[in-house]
Amino acid sequence: MNLRQKSSRYCAAVLFAAGAAGAFLLVAAFRADFKPDLEIWLAAALVVTLILHARAGFALSRAQQEIELLKNLVDRFRPSPAKTPPSLQFEPVSDAAAEDAHALELVKDAIENDRIDLYLQPIVSLPQRKIRCFEAFSRLRREDGGVIKPGDYIEAAERANRIGVIDNMILLRAVQALRQLGPKSAQYRIFCNISPATIFDVDFFTRFTDYLDANEDLAQRLVFEFTYPAVEMMHDRVKKNLRLVADRGFSFSVDHIRRFDLNWTALREQNFRYVKASGALLLSESCKGDVGQARIRAFKKALIENEIDLIVEKVEYEEQMPEILKLGIDYGQGALFGPPRIASDYLQQDKPATVTELAAAS
């Protein structure tokens, strides 16, 4: 209980006692025919003292309230502490196979020399095709300027237990992109692909959550994405750690699904809020006649009941759109709406470029 609460209750009690004493004094004065003797005068003085004491207590309570108000104003304008990024040190691997060692050395060299680029791909609303979210990708560059493809190092990094460095690197760049978007673009989210190995590894997970804590104001704007096979084979420790991330307000997405009958309720309980299905999968199912279309309707119904948004991904051709729109899907992603580009292409003039502007620039 703080000082203001204590003083307020104490003063109220004193005033109540003074009021009761004053009532007894009036009765005594009435019985003395309003010719009070010394005892009554002393009692009256005591009542006045109690009232003044209570008034002083109320003044102290108000003063503390004003001090707290000033303190809150000072805290509001005090600069926020620096948001420390996670460590990106890429430790050498001594026992890796020759092919893996070469790939890991390229990654280590790119990280140490800051040759890391963030690429973004838009996720648009349908049918308007307005950019609503982005998916983040990292691209590493060699010393000669050539791009190291993710397929050339991701598996090697996972085998060597170094994928956490790359995931933390993507997170760092994604946070920088959100900061660049600024508060006027608070409706945009960025999807970051994360390996379960990062969530499993104690060291990398600690760095990961420390950085999330430092950027808790972005919890509603960062979505961590896992592939369907990774979700299917999640270790119990990964599920437990995912809960720790979800408790911080961050949500998840699953992509590359191969079927429609997943346990959507269980995924929603883990705070999965998005699912991505390829356009080819949805269109193939739709072409199976009434049975396939009924399966899609049941799939969408289950997602709606669990408040999970569906994103059709890998949409590459305009010819696919009439059938996709017939399915009533709200969001789309793919080369048709914009390929992965370096982040600055989408963040021009502190606002994302539109799909039309990007098409004109291609």
Side-chain angles (χ1 to χ4, degrees), residues 337-356:
F337 311 119
R341 292 175 180 264
I342 195 164
S344 58
D345 287 353
Y346 288 109
L347 307 181
Q348 298 171 7
Q349 300 175 353
D350 295 328
K351 67 175 183 178
T354 65
V355 173
T356 304

Side-chain angles (χ1 to χ4, degrees), residues 284-349:
S284 173
E285 192 67 29
S286 178
C287 291
K288 294 179 181 178
D290 293 341
V291 174
Q293 292 175 12
R295 190 175 289 121
I296 291 178
R297 286 194 297 270
F299 168 54
K300 289 182 56 186
K301 182 174 182 291
L303 294 182
I304 292 171
E305 289 173 348
N306 289 285
E307 299 180 324
I308 298 175
D309 287 325
L310 173 60
I311 301 170
V312 56
E313 62 177 342
K314 299 180 181 177
V315 181
E316 300 182 0
Y317 306 107
E318 190 65 45
E319 292 77 10
Q320 296 175 294
M321 288 307 299
E323 290 300 320
I324 288 175
L325 293 177
K326 284 181 183 179
L327 298 177
I329 299 171
D330 293 327
Y331 300 97
Q333 179 182 358
L336 178 64
F337 311 119
R341 292 175 180 264
I342 195 164
S344 58
D345 287 353
Y346 288 109
L347 307 181
Q348 298 171 7
Q349 300 175 353

Side-chain angles (χ1 to χ4, degrees), residues 51-62:
I51 293 174
L52 291 175
H53 183 68
R55 292 286 298 173
F58 278 123
L60 177 62
S61 175
R62 179 172 295 178

Side-chain angles (χ1 to χ4, degrees), residues 96-278:
E99 185 178 349
D100 284 358
H102 176 68
L104 295 174
E105 187 60 33
L106 290 175
V107 173
K108 181 176 181 292
D109 181 63
I111 290 175
E112 290 179 348
N113 291 282
D114 198 28
R115 294 196 299 271
I116 310 163
D117 296 323
L118 177 73
Y119 277 61
L120 298 176
Q121 183 173 31
I123 298 170
V124 304
S125 61
L126 298 176
Q128 302 90 349
R129 304 193 188 189
K130 290 185 178 179
I131 297 176
R132 301 300 184 191
C133 313
F134 296 96
E135 181 172 352
F137 304 92
S138 65
R139 293 292 184 268
L140 310 183
R141 285 176 283 111
R142 298 186 181 88
E143 188 175 2
D144 61 6
V147 174
I148 309 172
K149 297 179 181 179
D152 294 338
Y153 63 82
I154 291 294
E155 291 184 2
E158 288 180 338
R159 285 192 289 267
N161 195 28
R162 295 294 184 271
I163 193 66
V165 177
I166 298 169
D167 285 345
N168 278 324
M169 174 184 64
I170 296 174
L171 172 62
L172 188 154
R173 293 290 193 260
V175 166
Q176 291 174 338
L178 285 173
R179 298 289 179 202
Q180 185 177 346
L181 281 170
K184 292 183 179 180
S185 299
Q187 71 272 26
Y188 295 103
R189 291 178 172 84
I190 289 186
F191 287 60
C192 294
N193 291 277
I194 298 293
S195 167
T198 300
I199 307 298
F200 183 86
D201 186 276
V202 175
D203 182 37
F204 286 124
F205 183 70
T206 299
R207 301 182 198 181
F208 183 77
T209 51
D210 284 348
Y211 195 53
L212 295 185
D213 289 338
N215 292 277
E216 60 183 355
D217 58 310
L218 298 178
Q220 300 302 315
R221 301 177 64 187
L222 278 172
V223 180
F224 298 112
E225 188 161 277
F226 301 87
T227 64
Y228 163 70
V231 172
E232 284 285 276
M233 297 184 293
M234 273 189 178
H235 189 277
D236 286 343
R237 186 201 291 180
V238 175
K239 292 180 180 179
K240 179 181 177 181
N241 287 346
L242 278 187
R243 173 49 53 191
L244 296 177
V245 176
D247 288 344
R248 289 169 164 82
F250 296 87
S251 56
F252 309 115
S253 171
V254 56
D255 66 355
H256 298 168
I257 66 166
R258 300 168 183 168
R259 31 187 264 254
F260 302 127
D261 58 346
L262 303 184
N263 189 339
W264 302 112
T265 301
L267 286 172
R268 179 62 183 86
E269 289 172 352
Q270 296 177 64
N271 213 31
F272 278 81
R273 303 298 300 272
Y274 302 90
V275 58
K276 292 182 178 180
S278 71

